[in-house]
């Protein structure tokens, strides 16, 4: 890939196959991310509209439906019972992790396409049931990895594929944030293992460098080593207030990562090759800048300033593009399931102090990146 050519088409939607049609969405779970980021992203999208909002609170669902011009506001029970089923074509599942399965199963019963937030569920077993439910019903299922349609990440992938950095030899990732400053509640769901799953930092934050590295390099993890600790009282029920782990990617490439829900906000992903390196810094908190180094070349690529809402807009429009055309979806449910198996192995490695092979890594179907 010629670096100049890549810059000229930095924000090009190289995945788009249609400009016609609209996918009507029911949004399941009206937390701050759905209300402050997802709804504005859909309002700014080309191929989507919000027609149904679903919450545990009837008042909240109806109030937000009125504020955003949605047709209906439903409770979870009403959604499960099939209320307003003709008012939407697909669902976006934005609830806490341990509740994803039931809403995807209902979407499958109603023959609706699904965009499900990452991680797919609280553990591997429930994620497998989720993927199976969608497969058995024949509905499209996409795991909501917004980094796959982030322009900086897509250009980084092209640079790797073109041989710009030579052969990749090492990957470094970090994702941290002070969750108790962001949400000053020690009883929040991210610190409840019955809801969040294996833990908090790797499930919620470490998943970003894991999945983005998989996408950019086109390689899956085959084993994991890890260390974790929790010290703050609010993290007493989860093992990974602080986590560090190393994955071996296919081809023997090490991916070394750190993640914490109790640290200064910082995100980056660096890929070092035999001839150059790429770094996304910042990377995962709703903005991304691509830094490129090769010999005497140093470039900071930020011609297009994409924030969280724009990243989500691209993700929703990609999903709608595939639903409208019947095209293959990447990242699909199997792709998200592979990350669940990786996270399970990371936690097992920390528990046992051993290197853990990642179940299913060798037999996962080869997945192309988002089609151009």
């Amino acid at each position: 890939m010629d670096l100049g050519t890549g810059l000229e088409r930095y924000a090009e939607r190289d995945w788009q196959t249609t400009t016609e049609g609209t996918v009507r969405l029911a949004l399941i779970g009206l937390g701050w991310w759905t209300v402050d980021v997802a709804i504005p992203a859909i309002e700014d999208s080309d191929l989507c509209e919000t027609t149904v909002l679903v919450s545990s609170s009837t008042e909240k669902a109806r109030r937000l439906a009125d504020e955003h011009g949605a047709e209906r506001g439903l409770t979870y029970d009403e959604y499960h019972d099939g209320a307003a089923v003709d008012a939407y074509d697909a669902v976006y599942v934005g609830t806490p992790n341990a509740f994803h399965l039931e809403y995807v199963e209902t979407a499958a019963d109603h023959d609706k396409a699904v965009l499900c937030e990452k991680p797919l569920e609280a553990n591997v077993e429930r994620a497998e049931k989720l993927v199976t439910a969608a497969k058995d019903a024949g509905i499209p299922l996409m795991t909501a990895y917004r980094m796959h349609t982030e322009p900086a990440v897509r250009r980084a992938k092209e640079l790797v594929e073109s041989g710009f950095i030579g052969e990749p030899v090492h990957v470094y990732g970090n994702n941290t944030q002070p969750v108790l400053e962001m949400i000053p509640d020690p009883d929040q769901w991210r610190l409840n293992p019955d809801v969040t799953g294996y833990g908090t930092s790797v499930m919620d934050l470490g998943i970003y460098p894991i999945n983005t590295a998989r996408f950019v390099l086109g390689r899956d993890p085959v084993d994991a080593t890890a260390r974790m600790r929790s010290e703050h009282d609010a993290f007493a029920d989860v093992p990974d207030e602080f986590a560090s782990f190393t994955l071996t990617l296919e081809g023997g490439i090490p991916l070394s990562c750190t993640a914490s829900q109790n640290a200064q906000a910082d995100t980056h992903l660096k890929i070092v090759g035999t001839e150059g390196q790429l770094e996304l810094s910042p990377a995962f908190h709703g903005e991304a800048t691509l830094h490129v180094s090769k010999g005497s070349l140093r470039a900071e690529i930020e011609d297009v300033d994409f924030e969280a809402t724009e990243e989500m807009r691209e993700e929703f429009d990609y999903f709608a593009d595939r639903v409208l055309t019947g095209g293959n979806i990447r990242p699909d449910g199997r792709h998200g399931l592979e990350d669940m198996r990786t996270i399970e192995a990371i936690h097992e490695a920390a528990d046992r102090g051993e290197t853990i092979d990642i179940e299913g890594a060798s037999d996962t179907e080869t997945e192309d990146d988002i089609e151009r």
Side-chain angles (χ1 to χ4, degrees):
M1 167 185 168
D2 177 77
L3 188 57
T5 301
L7 290 178
E8 291 172 2
R9 49 183 289 275
Y10 185 82
E12 175 186 322
R13 286 184 165 186
D14 49 0
W15 45 262
Q16 189 155 11
T17 62
T18 186
T19 59
E20 303 293 331
T22 300
V23 172
R24 301 169 303 159
L25 289 162
L27 309 188
I28 316 296
L30 303 182
W32 72 268
W33 180 260
T34 298
V35 174
D36 295 343
V37 180
I39 291 177
I42 294 167
E43 291 172 346
D44 193 38
S45 71
D46 295 331
L47 301 173
C48 302
E49 69 172 313
T50 300
T51 55
V52 175
L53 296 176
V54 185
S55 172
S56 59
S57 165
T58 300
E59 185 279 329
K60 184 177 184 180
R62 291 178 178 174
R63 172 173 53 82
L64 289 173
D66 289 341
E67 289 178 8
H68 295 280
E71 294 180 23
R72 295 286 301 274
L74 305 177
T75 65
Y76 293 137
D77 287 342
E78 289 171 330
Y79 164 74
H80 287 306
D81 290 342
V85 72
D86 294 329
Y88 60 95
D89 308 304
V91 303
Y92 167 71
V93 180
T95 63
N97 304 340
F99 305 116
H100 291 179
L101 174 59
E102 62 180 285
Y103 299 112
V104 173
E105 288 178 331
T106 294
D109 290 341
H110 296 329
D111 195 30
K112 304 296 184 181
V114 175
L115 175 60
C116 184
E117 267 302 338
K118 60 80 200 162
L120 272 184
E121 246 287 349
N123 58 49
V124 168
E125 293 74 22
R126 290 180 63 82
E128 288 173 339
K129 290 178 181 178
L130 187 155
V131 172
T132 298
K135 180 180 178 181
D136 289 349
I139 61 168
L141 169 63
M142 177 175 166
T143 309
Y145 289 117
R146 55 191 166 87
M147 303 312 297
H148 286 219
T149 47
E150 157 63 55
V153 174
R154 295 187 67 76
R155 302 294 79 82
K157 181 175 178 62
E158 290 178 349
L159 286 166
V160 169
E161 291 174 344
S162 73
F164 182 83
I165 65 168
E167 290 297 317
V169 297
H170 204 131
V171 185
Y172 304 88
N174 178 70
N175 199 1
T176 57
Q177 65 183 16
V179 75
L180 290 173
E181 292 181 17
M182 299 165 59
I183 307 171
D185 178 6
D187 294 324
Q188 61 182 280
W189 70 263
R190 286 178 176 82
L191 303 179
N192 180 351
D194 292 334
V195 180
T196 189
Y198 297 112
T200 184
S201 295
V202 181
M203 289 283 284
D204 195 41
L205 301 176
I207 194 170
Y208 279 94
I210 293 169
N211 185 264
T212 305
R214 288 181 61 203
F215 175 67
V216 171
L217 294 177
R219 301 170 190 248
D220 286 337
V222 296
D223 63 40
T225 59
R227 297 184 68 180
M228 299 175 182
R229 73 184 196 278
S230 291
E231 300 172 351
H232 192 290
D233 288 347
F235 291 82
D237 294 330
V238 290
D240 60 336
E241 177 185 353
F242 307 101
S244 62
F245 56 91
T246 298
L247 305 175
T248 304
L249 303 179
E250 292 169 321
I253 300 172
L255 166 59
S256 303
C257 294
T258 49
S260 176
Q261 292 276 27
N262 194 20
Q264 172 70 30
D266 178 61
T267 72
H268 67 262
L269 184 73
K270 180 186 291 186
I271 302 172
V272 180
T274 55
E275 299 175 20
Q277 73 178 35
L278 306 173
E279 183 172 10
L280 292 161
S281 180
F284 310 122
H285 288 182
E287 56 184 351
T289 297
L290 177 60
H291 305 261
V292 179
S293 303
K294 184 174 183 178
S296 60
L297 171 66
R298 299 288 187 275
E300 182 177 289
I301 304 172
E302 53 180 0
D303 291 7
V304 178
D305 183 15
F306 262 52
E307 296 182 352
T309 302
E310 286 79 13
E311 289 179 347
M312 289 290 284
R313 179 195 66 203
E314 297 299 287
E315 177 183 86
F316 278 114
D317 269 342
Y318 169 78
F319 173 68
D321 180 280
R322 294 309 190 257
V323 171
L324 290 167
T325 63
N328 291 332
I329 288 179
R330 298 290 187 269
D332 61 6
R334 286 181 60 87
H335 186 90
L337 179 57
E338 188 64 26
D339 284 329
M340 291 299 303
R341 290 172 175 151
T342 297
I343 292 170
E344 180 183 55
I346 289 169
H347 278 269
E348 184 179 353
D351 285 343
R352 295 170 54 180
E354 301 174 1
T355 299
I356 301 298
D357 291 336
I358 297 174
E359 180 184 354
S362 62
D363 60 9
T364 298
E365 292 178 355
T366 300
E367 295 181 305
D368 296 329
D369 60 319
I370 295 175
E371 296 92 341
R372 294 176 172 79

